[in-house]
Amino acid sequence: MDEGFAEIHRALALNPLSLTINTGLGRMYYSNRQYDHAIAQYRKTLELDPNIIWVRLRLGQALSQKGNAEESLAEFRKAREILPASSGVDVVSIRLAKAQAFMGRREEAKK
């Protein structure tokens, strides 16, 4: 894992504006349960482009892992705004409902 972090930091130094590299670093932190670092990295990535739905979802997940339920819901809602509801079920709706259910908001989750 140390080698992986070294490589992604090297890539980030070469291309600090890469959305892919910035997102990848956040995912590595998240996968290693370094949620504070993941949250910071996802927020940094969103400064580059606030409309990346997957980064919003991953930030919401990291916030949830840290117990920041309201902030987590806010990120899932922002993701929902980026990707309007479709006729089918989508991953944004599922994650938003899961977060609401986790918070005991069953009726909101069912909607």
Side-chain angles (χ1 to χ4, degrees):
M1 193 52 68
D2 290 339
E3 288 180 39
F5 274 113
E7 289 297 320
I8 199 160
H9 281 289
R10 194 169 312 136
L12 193 58
L14 293 171
N15 191 353
L17 300 179
S18 168
L19 297 173
T20 301
I21 296 169
N22 276 282
T23 301
L25 179 56
R27 290 184 73 182
M28 287 182 70
Y29 284 133
Y30 182 88
S31 295
N32 281 282
R33 298 181 179 158
Q34 297 179 28
Y35 302 122
D36 289 328
H37 290 299
I39 290 166
Q41 185 60 41
Y42 290 142
R43 286 184 172 150
K44 181 179 175 183
T45 305
L46 288 170
E47 288 176 12
L48 298 172
D49 185 344
N51 294 313
I52 306 172
I53 191 167
W54 294 109
V55 176
R56 291 245 175 241
L57 290 174
R58 290 183 179 120
L59 175 56
Q61 288 175 304
L63 289 164
S64 179
Q65 290 293 333
K66 288 291 294 179
N68 299 333
E70 290 299 331
E71 288 181 83
S72 174
L73 279 178
E75 290 303 325
F76 292 139
R77 286 185 180 118
K78 287 176 188 174
R80 164 57 49 224
E81 292 171 9
I82 296 168
L83 180 69
S86 64
S87 59
V89 176
D90 60 67
V91 69
V92 176
S93 296
I94 292 168
R95 291 188 183 172
L96 178 57
K98 183 178 176 181
Q100 290 169 326
F102 181 75
M103 294 176 65
R105 299 177 181 175
R106 295 181 59 119
E107 292 306 313
E108 288 179 60
K110 287 179 184 178
K111 289 178 187 175

